Every structure is written in structure tokens, then in C-alpha cells.
Amino acid sequence: MAERIVLNTDIRKGTINRNIYGHFAEHLGRCIYEGIWVGEDSPIPNTKGIRNDVVEALKEMKIPVLRWPGGCFADEYHWKDGIGPSEERKRMINTHWGGAVENNHFGTHEFMRLCAMLECEPYINGNVGSGTVQEMSEWVEYLTFNGVSPMAELRQKNGQEEAWSVAYFGVGNENWGCGGNMRPEYYADLYRQYQTYVRNYGDNKIHRIACGANSDDYNWTEVLMREATRFMDSLTLHYYTLPTSDWTNKGAATGYGTDEYFNTLKKALFMDELVTRHSVIMDKYDPDKRVGLIVDEWGTWYDVEPGTNPGFLYQQNTIRDALVAGLTLNIFHKHSDRVRMANIAQTVNVLQAVILTEGEKMLLTPTYHVFNMYKIHQDAELLDLTVDSPLYSYEGVEIPEVSASASVTAEGVIHVSLCNLNHAAPAVLPLELRGLAGQSAAVSGTTLAGSSIDAHNTFGQPEAVVPQPFTAFQLEGDTLTVELPPMSVTVLAITPG
Ligand code: AHR
């Protein structure tokens, strides 16, 4: 078969939910504390304790939804510890993550303020593993009830007169592991019980999210869908990409060789199979696709940076991460009939972060640039596209060299996102633009490429990897031939007419 991309500009396949571009911020390492929250007395410029530089960068990237407070932390978090005068809030040890002191200065009010500043939807994850039905139900009442009630009064006493609006609420996290080591049958029953008391107050309609599977645990999805489909609006999936198969020796974030680079991309591509197979199970119980699949933790997971707290999960971010982000987002687009939200782990200073900070300094990672370049796909209509990709091989193993996806905006501008995974060679291939009915097209592009296999930004050189104009294309008739640089993520804008 000829190597090419065929784009049917006149075949639309549904909306790409903007929430696929969601993020996840946990009380873990320096994500919340320092990365987002510095406190009002900090010399770092802030608004009511929240860093201005980070808010500005996340807004620019159009962050649509933010998941909080965990992760594993969610099933140890007792929300009442994080309300009221901050100097009176409990100090405790974050036993799960690095033994850091948790002073609870960032709690419900601060999170809701952060979401308001970011103009994004809050996605709150409740505690099933070590919390009670009453605790969860009261959190929802505190957040969303406007009438006369003990929790509404408590919220008002703490300075928030009006109830907030909260669309997304998760009932437990990783309850097959850190959230209680439960069997799916047991969790399914608990889910049914807990969600009963996650009430809709007034106009606030909560999208109830059940804890889903770890990676390829298809039995978990089967049991949850069999036992609880009618009680949920979405089911989650967690999948992390490691360069190796050994959690005690995952591989470094920088300074790796071609083998780890290649293996990471190969393992990231596995997301397609995972989403496909979990969706097949969901289709069996929910053929109308009412229930969404939310991939609320995904991204790369490496060994921590040398000399940092192993429990803080701080890692650098290179062009390899940019490619993982680009190809994964392309996969989510393809499955946007079922995947309604995804949350990369985690927003700042933890795992595949879009932002790193060091005191008052902040840098944008290659992953940030991909999210910023791809934001034009948010809420756009997915277009029909097929890739017959050249193969990228390493030591006898082959993967597709090119990943691609396309969408069209309400204004009719077509965007094509293209990743060339090959670390050594450009990818040259024709992109056939079908369905333009003889119209010509204006084309422009932006690319993010690596000059070395672990190209990354540092606080000394924060702009080593940044998007550049892309001009290596030629349009003849309805065929656009592109030459994608090695290790690159490119977005084309095609305006017909
Ligand atoms: O993102 C880090 C951790 O990974 C989360 O706390 C947990 O849910 C997952 O295992």
C-alpha cells in the first residue's frame, strides 16, 4: 500500500470534547505546594496565594478541566481538614507521597478559586478508601447546596455565600490499589452506595464518575459495567508509559539511548489498543455510548531526577514526552465517541508536567507546547483520516513512524496534527486533501522538533525546545506533501477557499 495520509475534509465524525485536554493536580511533591500554591505572603507574584505565572500559562493553553485532590491522596483526604481559617487547619504528614508536611492551606475554597481563575471546570475526586458515605455526601452539599443546611451554613461561615457549580465528581480513585485494594465486585457495590448520596442540588447536575481499570485489567471494566452502568456517567482508565517494564528501574527522563526512546513511544501507542478493548466491553453494556470513558491519569513515568525525594515524582520533560503527548491526543481524538475526558498526570512538577518551577522561576515543557499547539482541536469536529505510515524500526521491532489526526473548526479551518516518531530521519509523505470540491487552500504550520534525542528546556535555557514556523510542505492540486523533521510534532492550518 502506498505510504500516504488521506484526509476526507467532508466527512465529520463527531466533536472532540475539549475535556480530552484536561489536567490532574494532586497533593504530591511540588505540584500543589510551590507549583500552584505559594501563599499570600510569598515574594512570588500571586493572587490570593495562587501563582500568577502558572495561571497565565495554563489559561493560554486553554486548560478545560482540572482534577483534584488526587490520585492516591484522594482516598486519604478528609475535606474538612482543608476549610476554615488557614492557621487553624490541621498539619499532618502526607504519608503516601514523600512524607512531606501537609498544612492543608490549599483546600476546597482555594481549589474552586483556582478553577475560577483558570476558567476551567473543577473535577473533584472523593474518598471511598478511607472516607465515609456521609463525608462524601457532605462535601457535595458543602460545594453545591444553596438552601438551608448545615453544610451550606458552614460554607457561608467560611466566606462563600453562593454554592459553587461542580460538574464532575469521582467516587474513589484506583480502588483496586491505593484506594483500598478492592475486588471489582466489592467496589461496584460500594460505588452504587456512595454515588446514591452524591446528590444534584438545584440546577447543579453532577456527572458521576466510577473508578475504572488499571491499564489492561479488562475484567474490572466488565464487572463495573455489568453491575453499575446505570449508576454512572463515566468510567475511568489509568495508563502510564514507562520506558522499561520494571517499576524499580523505569529509566531516566533525560540522557537515555535510542532503545528507551523507541520503547517509550511503542508503549505509548498501546493506548490505542487499551481504549479500543475497554470500549468494546463498554459497548456490550452501553451500546448507545451514554457512559464516557475518562482516561483521568496518563503520561510518562520515569525515575525521579537524581537527588530529589523519590516520593515527589519530579522528572524532566523532553521531545520524547512531546511525542507521547502528541500521539496520545491523536489516539483520544480517534476514540472521541467514547473518550469524553482525559487528564494528563500531572500539571506542575510531577510526572509528565506541562510546567516546571524552581522557586520563582517557571518553564514550559515540550509537553506544554504540544497542548498549546493542539488547543485548536478543542470542541472541533473530528475529520475522517487514514494514515498508511512508513515504518520506524529499531532492532527488528517496527512501529508506525507517523501519527496523525484532523479536525475542522466552526469557522471551517482544518487542522492536522502530525507526529514523526523517527529519531533520525524526516518523514516525507503526501497528504491527500479530498472533498474540497475544487477549492484551493491556504496552508500554514507550526512545528516542535528536537535537536537531540533528549532535547529539553532548563531554567538556564528555557527556550531550547519551542514551536517554530513550519514551511516544509508543497501543495500541488489536492496533494500536500509534507516533510516532517525527525522527532517532531507539527500542526497544519488549512483554510479552504
Ligand atoms: O499520579 C501519581 C499516582 O499514580 C496517583 O496518585 C495514582 O492514582 C496513580 O497510581
Side-chain angles (χ1 to χ4, degrees):
M1 203 180 296
E3 291 167 356
R4 62 181 178 172
I5 300 173
V6 175
L7 170 56
N8 287 305
T9 63
D10 53 349
I11 302 182
R12 298 176 179 221
K13 304 186 84 173
T15 305
I16 297 171
N17 196 316
R18 74 173 80 162
N19 289 339
I20 284 174
Y21 287 81
H23 288 257
F24 165 41
E26 182 168 11
H27 287 236
L28 193 177
R30 295 183 300 119
C31 183
I32 294 292
Y33 295 107
E34 184 189 320
I36 290 171
W37 174 261
V38 288
E40 289 186 56
D41 300 333
S42 170
I44 298 172
N46 68 83
T47 302
K48 294 195 171 172
I50 296 171
R51 289 181 79 123
N52 294 342
D53 50 359
V54 168
V55 166
E56 206 179 304
L58 294 176
K59 273 183 84 173
E60 169 63 25
M61 196 189 69
K62 277 184 77 180
I63 180 173
V65 59
L66 184 61
R67 176 175 181 243
W68 171 85
C72 294
F73 185 79
D75 283 274
E76 296 193 15
Y77 184 59
H78 301 284
W79 67 272
K80 285 184 184 166
D81 294 343
I83 55 170
S86 62
E87 62 286 358
E88 288 171 23
R89 296 187 195 173
K90 282 184 191 163
R91 280 165 64 82
M92 52 185 68
I93 300 295
N94 186 335
T95 42
H96 202 94
W97 297 119
V101 173
E102 166 66 61
N103 62 16
N104 280 302
H105 283 188
F106 191 89
T108 300
H109 291 249
E110 292 74 20
F111 175 66
M112 295 306 294
R113 187 182 310 138
L114 170 66
C115 290
M117 286 164 72
L118 294 173
E119 294 168 22
C120 79
E121 294 285 348
Y123 165 11
I124 292 185
N125 211 120
N127 180 346
V128 170
S130 70
T132 61
V133 175
Q134 181 179 359
E135 183 181 13
M136 186 178 287
S137 139
E138 286 186 340
W139 201 3
V140 174
E141 181 186 326
Y142 186 90
L143 284 159
T144 62
F145 187 56
N146 255 328
V148 178
S149 86
M151 290 305 113
E153 269 176 39
L154 185 57
R155 183 191 68 236
Q156 285 156 357
K157 191 177 135 226
N158 289 330
Q160 180 68 28
E161 188 60 34
E162 282 294 303
W164 292 284
S165 119
V166 176
Y168 300 101
F169 197 92
V171 179
N173 167 74
E174 295 196 351
N175 301 94
W176 37 262
C178 64
N181 288 306
M182 300 173 193
R183 294 174 307 111
E185 292 79 4
Y186 181 68
Y187 171 73
D189 280 346
L190 279 190
Y191 172 77
R192 291 167 59 128
Q193 180 189 5
Y194 275 65
Q195 68 78 36
T196 308
Y197 306 95
V198 174
R199 300 212 188 274
N200 291 326
Y201 291 110
D203 293 338
N204 192 71
K205 172 96 178 65
I206 292 191
H207 186 102
R208 289 172 179 74
I209 300 169
C211 164
N214 178 23
S215 183
D216 58 357
D217 182 355
Y218 300 113
N219 181 53
W220 185 279
T221 299
E222 177 79 35
V223 174
L224 263 289
M225 291 301 291
R226 190 182 67 220
E227 303 298 339
T229 294
R230 71 191 171 94
F231 301 102
M232 66 173 86
D233 296 304
S234 280
L235 182 66
T236 65
L237 168 67
H238 287 184
Y239 175 62
Y240 285 100
T241 301
L242 279 66
T244 70
S245 303
D246 179 0
W247 277 90
T248 58
N249 185 14
K250 298 180 274 295
T254 58
Y256 44 80
T258 312
D259 52 343
E260 285 187 14
Y261 170 88
F262 184 88
N263 215 21
T264 304
L265 298 179
K266 179 171 176 285
K267 291 174 86 176
L269 287 166
F270 183 55
M271 183 67 89
D272 195 14
E273 177 177 331
L274 277 178
V275 172
T276 304
R277 294 186 62 182
H278 284 289
S279 298
V280 166
I281 299 166
M282 293 178 78
D283 286 349
K284 188 166 116 191
Y285 296 97
D286 176 38
D288 296 337
K289 299 188 194 292
R290 183 189 63 78
V291 177
L293 179 63
I294 294 185
V295 188
D296 64 1
E297 288 188 32
W298 69 273
T300 55
W301 194 324
Y302 309 126
D303 294 335
V304 298
E305 291 304 314
T308 64
N309 186 328
F312 280 15
L313 310 187
Y314 177 66
Q315 64 188 40
Q316 248 295 359
N317 192 291
T318 72
I319 191 69
R320 174 176 64 170
D321 297 274
L323 286 160
V324 170
L327 73 85
T328 305
L329 292 167
N330 287 346
I331 292 169
F332 291 154
H333 291 177
K334 180 175 143 193
H335 293 280
S336 50
D337 58 338
R338 187 63 90 173
V339 178
R340 315 269 164 79
M341 189 197 293
N343 309 74
I344 190 170
Q346 298 192 5
T347 319
V348 194
N349 291 332
V350 169
L351 299 177
Q352 191 175 348
V354 288
I355 291 173
L356 302 180
T357 66
E358 194 176 82
E360 77 290 354
K361 291 190 223 142
M362 179 196 87
L363 68 77
L364 306 176
T365 66
T367 299
Y368 175 94
H369 294 303
V370 172
F371 272 78
N372 203 27
M373 287 162 66
Y374 273 47
K375 68 187 173 191
I376 37 74
H377 287 304
Q378 290 189 25
D379 293 335
E381 289 288 303
L382 181 69
L383 291 175
D384 183 65
L385 175 146
T386 47
V387 192
D388 291 316
S389 173
L391 292 175
Y392 171 33
S393 59
Y394 181 75
E395 293 190 337
V397 181
E398 291 177 333
I399 57 175
E401 184 172 74
V402 173
S403 151
S405 180
S407 69
V408 60
T409 64
E411 295 73 34
V413 181
I414 296 163
H415 293 104
V416 187
S417 42
L418 300 147
C419 305
N420 176 14
L421 277 47
N422 195 315
H423 71 285
V428 183
L429 78 170
L431 165 55
E432 291 180 18
L433 296 168
R434 298 191 182 167
L436 285 180
Q439 291 180 92
S440 61
V443 184
S444 62
T446 307
T447 194
L448 184 79
S451 53
S452 66
I453 202 163
D454 72 342
H456 58 280
N457 296 328
T458 62
F459 292 99
Q461 262 196 302
E463 304 213 328
V465 188
V466 286
Q468 305 287 346
F470 176 74
T471 53
F473 58 81
Q474 220 177 349
L475 182 62
E476 273 175 40
D478 57 7
T479 299
L480 183 66
T481 303
V482 290
E483 180 173 341
L484 307 170
M487 299 178 286
S488 65
V489 180
T490 301
V491 174
L492 300 175
I494 302 170
T495 312

